[in-house]
Amino acid sequence: MSNRWLQTNTFHCSEFKDLNRLVSEKQRKGLTLSLCLPTLNEEKTIAKEVLIMRSELMDRYPLLDEIVVIDSGSTDATVEVARAYGADVYLADDILPNLERFKGKGENLWKALYITKGDIILYLDADIKNIHHRFVYALAGPLILYDNIKFAKAFYDRPIAIGKNRVRPTGGGRVTELVVRPLFALFFPQLTQMIQPLSGEYAGYREVFEKIPFPIGYGVETSMILDIFEKWGLDVIAQVDLERRIHRNQDTKALGRMAFAILKTFLNRIEKLGFIRVDKNLFHEMIQYNIIRNEYRPEIFRIEEIERPPIIQIPEYREKFRKEAPPAPHERIDSNCRTAHSSTGSTVG
């Protein structure tokens, strides 16, 4: 397998540190940029994220046009703090209130498409402890400077050498290396060139995000990559080395639940793409065990295969952004928010 994409579409954040150049090119192309931070109880980190991005990328360099926080119902001071530091804050349940309500990161990301106004939308997790404005400008850079790039994904940490005088991190987290990378190797070996497919930092053009479904939970990153790859190919994707990221570590049980959700999303996608056929209904429960008073007691985590359809299928969205309805034969939606699509191609738009 060729690793051409790894060489041509992999960047280092330092390649985009000339912010005057990015702003000039953004203005020349008439682009607008929106930053979205999905939150749930992030009062310890949200203030610093909003403050740095606002001061560096709105006040000092006019790269960002808005900072939007979509909150899942925090019980701490996340909403108040984010608003106090200048973010536009919305509760996910209040966005498109006529639709059935769900909880999950993917839900927040999907609803952000309705709230934000940018041609380019950047998504950052809100729990980054070593936040720096490179997390935004380095992801925006390939989209602004290269006409063929429509989606950019972050990676970081674990350095090794690649070629002469080049150092790149390798390896994702535990779920990436134990679950996602083996699945990619089996079904989509080209995608193994992605260093950290589950990273929570990425950016893309609205014209891409509005045409793909969003699972409401942990599977959203995997689903996003598979759908973009299937619809437009690998060359529209870039990955950017952000050097280092510090955040909360999750325990093994939490990672097991994440892996369960990602596996279900992956199987659902490859069945729709015709790679496999599942002849029985999959179970929706992940069963784990705790020892309580010398007894093993089950702890059940339930996940349904629920996803939001491509938001361009939502009438309110089309009306707000003056979009035409997508061609009916290419995408379909049922009443349970489960989406299938079969379109392929190499151009975005």
Side-chain angles (χ1 to χ4, degrees), residues 38-57:
T39 58
L40 178 63
N41 296 329
E42 305 293 357
E43 65 178 4
K44 294 181 180 179
T45 51
I46 190 63
K48 189 175 180 181
E49 289 204 24
V50 174
L51 178 62
I52 287 176
M53 299 308 170
R54 188 172 185 83
S55 62
E56 293 293 328
L57 300 180

Side-chain angles (χ1 to χ4, degrees), residues 174-189:
R174 288 165 284 176
V175 177
T176 291
E177 298 305 324
L178 295 174
V179 178
V180 177
R181 194 172 304 285
L183 289 173
F184 280 178
L186 285 170
F187 293 97
F188 306 98

